[in-house]
Amino acid sequence: MKTLCRFAALTSVAAMAPAQTVPPPKVAAEAATARSPADVYGALFRAVQQQHVFADGKTFVDAVPKRAADAIMAAYARTRPDGPALKAFVLANFVVPGENDRGSGDLRTHVRALWPQLVREPVIPVVGSSALPLPARYVVPGGRFREIYYWDTYFTMLGLKADGQQPLVESMLDDFTSLIERYGHIPNGTRTYYLSRSQPPYYALMLDLSTNTAPAIAKRRLAALRTEHAFWMKGETCAAGRRACLRVVRMPDGSVLNRYYDDRDTPRDESYAEDVATAAKAAPRPAAATQRDLRAGAESGWDFSSRWLRDPQSLTTIHTTDIVPVDLNSLMFAMERAIAARCRTAGDGACASAFTTRATQRRATIDRYLWQATTPRYADWDLSTGKPTASVNAAMLHPLFVGLASPAQAKAVAKTVRRSLVAEGGLRTTTLKTGQQWDEPNGWAPLQWVAIAGLDANGEPALAKDIARRWIGTVGAAYAETGKMLEKYNIEQRTPGGGGEYPVQDGFGWTNGVASAILDRYPELAARDANPGK
């Protein structure tokens, strides 16, 4: 009744109001000449809407043209794109809400704003969950990667430190120290299904990012570092008289290096169907052998790459456990040198001497087998052939990154990098196109940083800065187009990367971290991050 009375009152007020007759002439003219998107874009409009290029029909009609409508329609008439090409045409010619309209801010500011979105609180797992407990806050990569990952975190930490987030650096170090204390190593990621393997061992380098000088913390971290080293060297005794055992290999002269491995030889839980299918295609090779090598490839972080394949075009030929990788052994050298230095500081002379000897021996073995003066490059070694592999890849920069290369070696590597690995948008991962995600044309943030820092520290500052400029141009261009920080990029075309077992992920921890670290080192590149042509 109240509603009816209110309606009657409103009707009565309306009846007493002066009548609006004809609109003012100017308003009428504006209305008469206004054209809707259907009027302006005709055939293009109908194609976009009828093909459901965007899920919501309102999306395209709210788009803003990047150039004159006549020019857009002339280009459309010439090419008449269809399907995916039609969407690409629209995104190239319009700023489309929710599609390519989010890259308007400064790249560094955007990264700083992303950190809180990627922070997670300490983990107390629900019974039956695959999550591992974590005592402190941490940062996830983003996308499908909902847990902390080992080697990702070092590159994430670089950006956190540059962006004034030191408490997060310290809390993640607490998490990793805790993982080593509980499991004897840092797993690939903080899930139960990752416990049988690790990832490239960056913990020693992470410790260098800490500002915590408390003696009790230093003692605890040194103990954890030595435990991690023992994990990687566990096969040292059983490798005597054998080519390899667990993660340890014996080179032809009896000296010791390391390889990637996995304690299990079953399909990975997170890629079960894919691994079963790959092993079936690899028959009559035993499925367990193929699955072990797939798992070892995951431990490498390069899952997957022609580095691990006998036939670069066939994943079924994976033989990761036959490969002695230059990146892993460079990181082991850094670990041994770090343990020696920390033991020396702690007053443990015997430990310092033992690990200095280990680092010295490893450096000599790397020089003997992995350094290829005639190429010139650092190469992975194939145990099955007794020769270096033919793969030219970005892992060759790790010896420069950890301070293992001589000045002459660094200069020679820089020459090879200029000739074979520098692309339009950054550093190539390998020189082969295989469809695997850790191959050309993809570029990855961690490899860019290893190259930049390694070259800059070894008398090649111009090349280091050139790679940084190219990479920031790629990241900036993709951000301007998509509003996202991506896991990987096509550095030939400066577009999102491809290949692999899952779609391109956004977030993205190590891309954010390396972008901030580069812009902190080269602030003059900030003005170019959205204009790769400069």
Side-chain angles (χ1 to χ4, degrees), residues 435-444 487-490 495-504:
Q436 300 301 332
Q437 64 174 348
W438 286 85
D439 278 318
E440 213 272 337
N442 283 349
W444 295 80
E487 179 193 18
K488 61 195 174 192
Y489 296 85
N490 180 320
T495 58
E501 299 178 307
Y502 51 83
V504 177

PDB file of all heavy atoms in Angstrom, residues 435-444 487-490 495-504:
ATOM      1  N   GLY A 435      60.223 -26.880 -29.726  1.00  0.00           N
ATOM      2  CA  GLY A 435      58.907 -26.940 -29.115  1.00  0.00           C
ATOM      3  C   GLY A 435      58.968 -27.108 -27.610  1.00  0.00           C
ATOM      4  O   GLY A 435      57.952 -26.967 -26.924  1.00  0.00           O
ATOM      5  N   GLN A 436      60.151 -27.444 -27.071  1.00  0.00           N
ATOM      6  CA  GLN A 436      60.318 -27.502 -25.626  1.00  0.00           C
ATOM      7  C   GLN A 436      60.481 -26.079 -25.087  1.00  0.00           C
ATOM      8  O   GLN A 436      61.068 -25.221 -25.735  1.00  0.00           O
ATOM      9  CB  GLN A 436      61.541 -28.351 -25.255  1.00  0.00           C
ATOM     10  CG  GLN A 436      61.483 -29.787 -25.735  1.00  0.00           C
ATOM     11  CD  GLN A 436      60.276 -30.542 -25.177  1.00  0.00           C
ATOM     12  OE1 GLN A 436      59.777 -30.242 -24.085  1.00  0.00           O
ATOM     13  NE2 GLN A 436      59.800 -31.529 -25.934  1.00  0.00           N
ATOM     14  N   GLN A 437      59.983 -25.845 -23.874  1.00  0.00           N
ATOM     15  CA  GLN A 437      59.946 -24.472 -23.393  1.00  0.00           C
ATOM     16  C   GLN A 437      61.324 -23.908 -23.016  1.00  0.00           C
ATOM     17  O   GLN A 437      61.506 -22.692 -22.998  1.00  0.00           O
ATOM     18  CB  GLN A 437      58.964 -24.336 -22.230  1.00  0.00           C
ATOM     19  CG  GLN A 437      59.321 -25.103 -20.983  1.00  0.00           C
ATOM     20  CD  GLN A 437      58.363 -24.792 -19.838  1.00  0.00           C
ATOM     21  OE1 GLN A 437      57.564 -23.862 -19.888  1.00  0.00           O
ATOM     22  NE2 GLN A 437      58.443 -25.577 -18.773  1.00  0.00           N
ATOM     23  N   TRP A 438      62.283 -24.780 -22.714  1.00  0.00           N
ATOM     24  CA  TRP A 438      63.632 -24.298 -22.400  1.00  0.00           C
ATOM     25  C   TRP A 438      64.533 -24.405 -23.629  1.00  0.00           C
ATOM     26  O   TRP A 438      65.671 -24.869 -23.559  1.00  0.00           O
ATOM     27  CB  TRP A 438      64.198 -25.043 -21.191  1.00  0.00           C
ATOM     28  CG  TRP A 438      63.537 -24.586 -19.925  1.00  0.00           C
ATOM     29  CD1 TRP A 438      62.367 -25.051 -19.401  1.00  0.00           C
ATOM     30  CD2 TRP A 438      63.974 -23.545 -19.047  1.00  0.00           C
ATOM     31  NE1 TRP A 438      62.048 -24.359 -18.250  1.00  0.00           N
ATOM     32  CE2 TRP A 438      63.019 -23.440 -18.005  1.00  0.00           C
ATOM     33  CE3 TRP A 438      65.088 -22.697 -19.034  1.00  0.00           C
ATOM     34  CZ2 TRP A 438      63.145 -22.512 -16.963  1.00  0.00           C
ATOM     35  CZ3 TRP A 438      65.203 -21.781 -17.990  1.00  0.00           C
ATOM     36  CH2 TRP A 438      64.247 -21.695 -16.977  1.00  0.00           C
ATOM     37  N   ASP A 439      64.006 -23.974 -24.742  1.00  0.00           N
ATOM     38  CA  ASP A 439      64.743 -23.890 -25.999  1.00  0.00           C
ATOM     39  C   ASP A 439      64.349 -22.594 -26.697  1.00  0.00           C
ATOM     40  O   ASP A 439      63.392 -21.917 -26.307  1.00  0.00           O
ATOM     41  CB  ASP A 439      64.448 -25.098 -26.898  1.00  0.00           C
ATOM     42  CG  ASP A 439      65.276 -26.331 -26.534  1.00  0.00           C
ATOM     43  OD1 ASP A 439      66.478 -26.169 -26.261  1.00  0.00           O
ATOM     44  OD2 ASP A 439      64.723 -27.448 -26.529  1.00  0.00           O
ATOM     45  N   GLU A 440      65.091 -22.272 -27.740  1.00  0.00           N
ATOM     46  CA  GLU A 440      64.793 -21.114 -28.582  1.00  0.00           C
ATOM     47  C   GLU A 440      63.368 -21.280 -29.162  1.00  0.00           C
ATOM     48  O   GLU A 440      62.971 -22.396 -29.470  1.00  0.00           O
ATOM     49  CB  GLU A 440      65.832 -21.097 -29.717  1.00  0.00           C
ATOM     50  CG  GLU A 440      66.236 -19.721 -30.195  1.00  0.00           C
ATOM     51  CD  GLU A 440      65.301 -19.221 -31.292  1.00  0.00           C
ATOM     52  OE1 GLU A 440      64.662 -20.047 -31.961  1.00  0.00           O
ATOM     53  OE2 GLU A 440      65.215 -18.018 -31.467  1.00  0.00           O
ATOM     54  N   PRO A 441      62.506 -20.251 -29.187  1.00  0.00           N
ATOM     55  CA  PRO A 441      62.822 -18.836 -29.024  1.00  0.00           C
ATOM     56  C   PRO A 441      62.560 -18.266 -27.633  1.00  0.00           C
ATOM     57  O   PRO A 441      62.515 -17.049 -27.468  1.00  0.00           O
ATOM     58  CB  PRO A 441      61.863 -18.191 -30.029  1.00  0.00           C
ATOM     59  CG  PRO A 441      60.632 -19.041 -29.924  1.00  0.00           C
ATOM     60  CD  PRO A 441      61.141 -20.451 -29.729  1.00  0.00           C
ATOM     61  N   ASN A 442      62.370 -19.129 -26.627  1.00  0.00           N
ATOM     62  CA  ASN A 442      62.022 -18.621 -25.310  1.00  0.00           C
ATOM     63  C   ASN A 442      63.217 -18.023 -24.579  1.00  0.00           C
ATOM     64  O   ASN A 442      64.342 -18.542 -24.660  1.00  0.00           O
ATOM     65  CB  ASN A 442      61.429 -19.737 -24.446  1.00  0.00           C
ATOM     66  CG  ASN A 442      59.995 -20.051 -24.811  1.00  0.00           C
ATOM     67  OD1 ASN A 442      59.354 -19.333 -25.566  1.00  0.00           O
ATOM     68  ND2 ASN A 442      59.473 -21.139 -24.267  1.00  0.00           N
ATOM     69  N   GLY A 443      62.943 -16.967 -23.846  1.00  0.00           N
ATOM     70  CA  GLY A 443      63.908 -16.393 -22.925  1.00  0.00           C
ATOM     71  C   GLY A 443      63.322 -16.417 -21.525  1.00  0.00           C
ATOM     72  O   GLY A 443      62.107 -16.285 -21.342  1.00  0.00           O
ATOM     73  N   TRP A 444      64.201 -16.579 -20.531  1.00  0.00           N
ATOM     74  CA  TRP A 444      63.769 -16.734 -19.148  1.00  0.00           C
ATOM     75  C   TRP A 444      64.522 -15.755 -18.250  1.00  0.00           C
ATOM     76  O   TRP A 444      65.733 -15.586 -18.372  1.00  0.00           O
ATOM     77  CB  TRP A 444      64.030 -18.160 -18.673  1.00  0.00           C
ATOM     78  CG  TRP A 444      63.230 -19.199 -19.395  1.00  0.00           C
ATOM     79  CD1 TRP A 444      63.500 -19.736 -20.624  1.00  0.00           C
ATOM     80  CD2 TRP A 444      62.036 -19.842 -18.939  1.00  0.00           C
ATOM     81  NE1 TRP A 444      62.554 -20.669 -20.963  1.00  0.00           N
ATOM     82  CE2 TRP A 444      61.643 -20.757 -19.932  1.00  0.00           C
ATOM     83  CE3 TRP A 444      61.271 -19.738 -17.776  1.00  0.00           C
ATOM     84  CZ2 TRP A 444      60.504 -21.559 -19.807  1.00  0.00           C
ATOM     85  CZ3 TRP A 444      60.144 -20.537 -17.641  1.00  0.00           C
ATOM     86  CH2 TRP A 444      59.772 -21.435 -18.651  1.00  0.00           C
ATOM     87  N   GLU A 487      55.834 -15.635 -17.099  1.00  0.00           N
ATOM     88  CA  GLU A 487      56.861 -16.597 -16.707  1.00  0.00           C
ATOM     89  C   GLU A 487      58.001 -16.664 -17.720  1.00  0.00           C
ATOM     90  O   GLU A 487      59.164 -16.839 -17.355  1.00  0.00           O
ATOM     91  CB  GLU A 487      56.208 -17.980 -16.577  1.00  0.00           C
ATOM     92  CG  GLU A 487      57.163 -19.091 -16.198  1.00  0.00           C
ATOM     93  CD  GLU A 487      56.538 -20.458 -16.387  1.00  0.00           C
ATOM     94  OE1 GLU A 487      55.523 -20.571 -17.113  1.00  0.00           O
ATOM     95  OE2 GLU A 487      57.077 -21.423 -15.825  1.00  0.00           O
ATOM     96  N   LYS A 488      57.675 -16.549 -19.007  1.00  0.00           N
ATOM     97  CA  LYS A 488      58.666 -16.683 -20.081  1.00  0.00           C
ATOM     98  C   LYS A 488      58.202 -15.859 -21.262  1.00  0.00           C
ATOM     99  O   LYS A 488      57.014 -15.517 -21.383  1.00  0.00           O
ATOM    100  CB  LYS A 488      58.807 -18.157 -20.482  1.00  0.00           C
ATOM    101  CG  LYS A 488      57.498 -18.761 -21.003  1.00  0.00           C
ATOM    102  CD  LYS A 488      57.530 -20.285 -21.056  1.00  0.00           C
ATOM    103  CE  LYS A 488      56.164 -20.837 -21.441  1.00  0.00           C
ATOM    104  NZ  LYS A 488      56.057 -22.273 -21.240  1.00  0.00           N
ATOM    105  N   TYR A 489      59.153 -15.548 -22.154  1.00  0.00           N
ATOM    106  CA  TYR A 489      58.855 -14.684 -23.297  1.00  0.00           C
ATOM    107  C   TYR A 489      59.498 -15.240 -24.569  1.00  0.00           C
ATOM    108  O   TYR A 489      60.580 -15.854 -24.521  1.00  0.00           O
ATOM    109  CB  TYR A 489      59.404 -13.274 -23.058  1.00  0.00           C
ATOM    110  CG  TYR A 489      58.767 -12.560 -21.898  1.00  0.00           C
ATOM    111  CD1 TYR A 489      59.224 -12.754 -20.600  1.00  0.00           C
ATOM    112  CD2 TYR A 489      57.683 -11.690 -22.078  1.00  0.00           C
ATOM    113  CE1 TYR A 489      58.639 -12.106 -19.519  1.00  0.00           C
ATOM    114  CE2 TYR A 489      57.095 -11.040 -21.008  1.00  0.00           C
ATOM    115  CZ  TYR A 489      57.581 -11.257 -19.727  1.00  0.00           C
ATOM    116  OH  TYR A 489      56.988 -10.610 -18.665  1.00  0.00           O
ATOM    117  N   ASN A 490      58.843 -15.003 -25.681  1.00  0.00           N
ATOM    118  CA  ASN A 490      59.451 -15.238 -26.989  1.00  0.00           C
ATOM    119  C   ASN A 490      60.332 -14.025 -27.277  1.00  0.00           C
ATOM    120  O   ASN A 490      59.824 -12.935 -27.541  1.00  0.00           O
ATOM    121  CB  ASN A 490      58.366 -15.395 -28.057  1.00  0.00           C
ATOM    122  CG  ASN A 490      58.925 -15.638 -29.443  1.00  0.00           C
ATOM    123  OD1 ASN A 490      59.918 -15.041 -29.853  1.00  0.00           O
ATOM    124  ND2 ASN A 490      58.264 -16.494 -30.203  1.00  0.00           N
ATOM    125  N   THR A 495      56.965 -11.436 -27.544  1.00  0.00           N
ATOM    126  CA  THR A 495      55.597 -11.830 -27.233  1.00  0.00           C
ATOM    127  C   THR A 495      55.649 -12.863 -26.106  1.00  0.00           C
ATOM    128  O   THR A 495      56.731 -13.323 -25.731  1.00  0.00           O
ATOM    129  CB  THR A 495      54.913 -12.447 -28.470  1.00  0.00           C
ATOM    130  OG1 THR A 495      55.689 -13.578 -28.908  1.00  0.00           O
ATOM    131  CG2 THR A 495      54.808 -11.437 -29.602  1.00  0.00           C
ATOM    132  N   PRO A 496      54.498 -13.272 -25.532  1.00  0.00           N
ATOM    133  CA  PRO A 496      54.522 -14.345 -24.546  1.00  0.00           C
ATOM    134  C   PRO A 496      55.180 -15.600 -25.096  1.00  0.00           C
ATOM    135  O   PRO A 496      55.054 -15.909 -26.285  1.00  0.00           O
ATOM    136  CB  PRO A 496      53.034 -14.574 -24.250  1.00  0.00           C
ATOM    137  CG  PRO A 496      52.411 -13.238 -24.496  1.00  0.00           C
ATOM    138  CD  PRO A 496      53.165 -12.664 -25.671  1.00  0.00           C
ATOM    139  N   GLY A 497      55.895 -16.336 -24.231  1.00  0.00           N
ATOM    140  CA  GLY A 497      56.575 -17.552 -24.657  1.00  0.00           C
ATOM    141  C   GLY A 497      55.603 -18.688 -24.895  1.00  0.00           C
ATOM    142  O   GLY A 497      54.398 -18.573 -24.662  1.00  0.00           O
ATOM    143  N   GLY A 498      56.142 -19.827 -25.339  1.00  0.00           N
ATOM    144  CA  GLY A 498      55.299 -20.976 -25.642  1.00  0.00           C
ATOM    145  C   GLY A 498      55.997 -22.273 -25.309  1.00  0.00           C
ATOM    146  O   GLY A 498      57.089 -22.299 -24.744  1.00  0.00           O
ATOM    147  N   GLY A 499      55.368 -23.383 -25.701  1.00  0.00           N
ATOM    148  CA  GLY A 499      55.931 -24.706 -25.429  1.00  0.00           C
ATOM    149  C   GLY A 499      55.668 -25.142 -24.004  1.00  0.00           C
ATOM    150  O   GLY A 499      55.050 -24.432 -23.205  1.00  0.00           O
ATOM    151  N   GLY A 500      56.133 -26.341 -23.676  1.00  0.00           N
ATOM    152  CA  GLY A 500      55.994 -26.837 -22.320  1.00  0.00           C
ATOM    153  C   GLY A 500      54.710 -27.600 -22.088  1.00  0.00           C
ATOM    154  O   GLY A 500      53.909 -27.835 -22.991  1.00  0.00           O
ATOM    155  N   GLU A 501      54.498 -27.965 -20.814  1.00  0.00           N
ATOM    156  CA  GLU A 501      53.393 -28.834 -20.439  1.00  0.00           C
ATOM    157  C   GLU A 501      52.157 -28.071 -19.962  1.00  0.00           C
ATOM    158  O   GLU A 501      51.160 -28.677 -19.607  1.00  0.00           O
ATOM    159  CB  GLU A 501      53.852 -29.779 -19.317  1.00  0.00           C
ATOM    160  CG  GLU A 501      55.001 -30.691 -19.713  1.00  0.00           C
ATOM    161  CD  GLU A 501      55.471 -31.573 -18.564  1.00  0.00           C
ATOM    162  OE1 GLU A 501      55.769 -31.045 -17.483  1.00  0.00           O
ATOM    163  OE2 GLU A 501      55.530 -32.807 -18.760  1.00  0.00           O
ATOM    164  N   TYR A 502      52.227 -26.747 -19.928  1.00  0.00           N
ATOM    165  CA  TYR A 502      51.120 -25.956 -19.388  1.00  0.00           C
ATOM    166  C   TYR A 502      51.126 -24.589 -20.052  1.00  0.00           C
ATOM    167  O   TYR A 502      52.130 -24.174 -20.630  1.00  0.00           O
ATOM    168  CB  TYR A 502      51.264 -25.811 -17.868  1.00  0.00           C
ATOM    169  CG  TYR A 502      52.624 -25.323 -17.435  1.00  0.00           C
ATOM    170  CD1 TYR A 502      52.926 -23.952 -17.433  1.00  0.00           C
ATOM    171  CD2 TYR A 502      53.619 -26.210 -17.060  1.00  0.00           C
ATOM    172  CE1 TYR A 502      54.174 -23.499 -17.066  1.00  0.00           C
ATOM    173  CE2 TYR A 502      54.873 -25.761 -16.690  1.00  0.00           C
ATOM    174  CZ  TYR A 502      55.139 -24.410 -16.682  1.00  0.00           C
ATOM    175  OH  TYR A 502      56.386 -23.966 -16.318  1.00  0.00           O
ATOM    176  N   PRO A 503      50.014 -23.839 -19.979  1.00  0.00           N
ATOM    177  CA  PRO A 503      49.964 -22.509 -20.596  1.00  0.00           C
ATOM    178  C   PRO A 503      50.929 -21.539 -19.922  1.00  0.00           C
ATOM    179  O   PRO A 503      51.369 -21.760 -18.785  1.00  0.00           O
ATOM    180  CB  PRO A 503      48.507 -22.078 -20.360  1.00  0.00           C
ATOM    181  CG  PRO A 503      47.770 -23.329 -20.055  1.00  0.00           C
ATOM    182  CD  PRO A 503      48.735 -24.243 -19.395  1.00  0.00           C
ATOM    183  N   VAL A 504      51.241 -20.447 -20.606  1.00  0.00           N
ATOM    184  CA  VAL A 504      52.096 -19.410 -20.031  1.00  0.00           C
ATOM    185  C   VAL A 504      51.442 -18.875 -18.758  1.00  0.00           C
ATOM    186  O   VAL A 504      50.254 -18.588 -18.736  1.00  0.00           O
ATOM    187  CB  VAL A 504      52.306 -18.259 -21.032  1.00  0.00           C
ATOM    188  CG1 VAL A 504      53.141 -17.151 -20.391  1.00  0.00           C
ATOM    189  CG2 VAL A 504      53.009 -18.770 -22.281  1.00  0.00           C
TER     190      VAL A 504
END
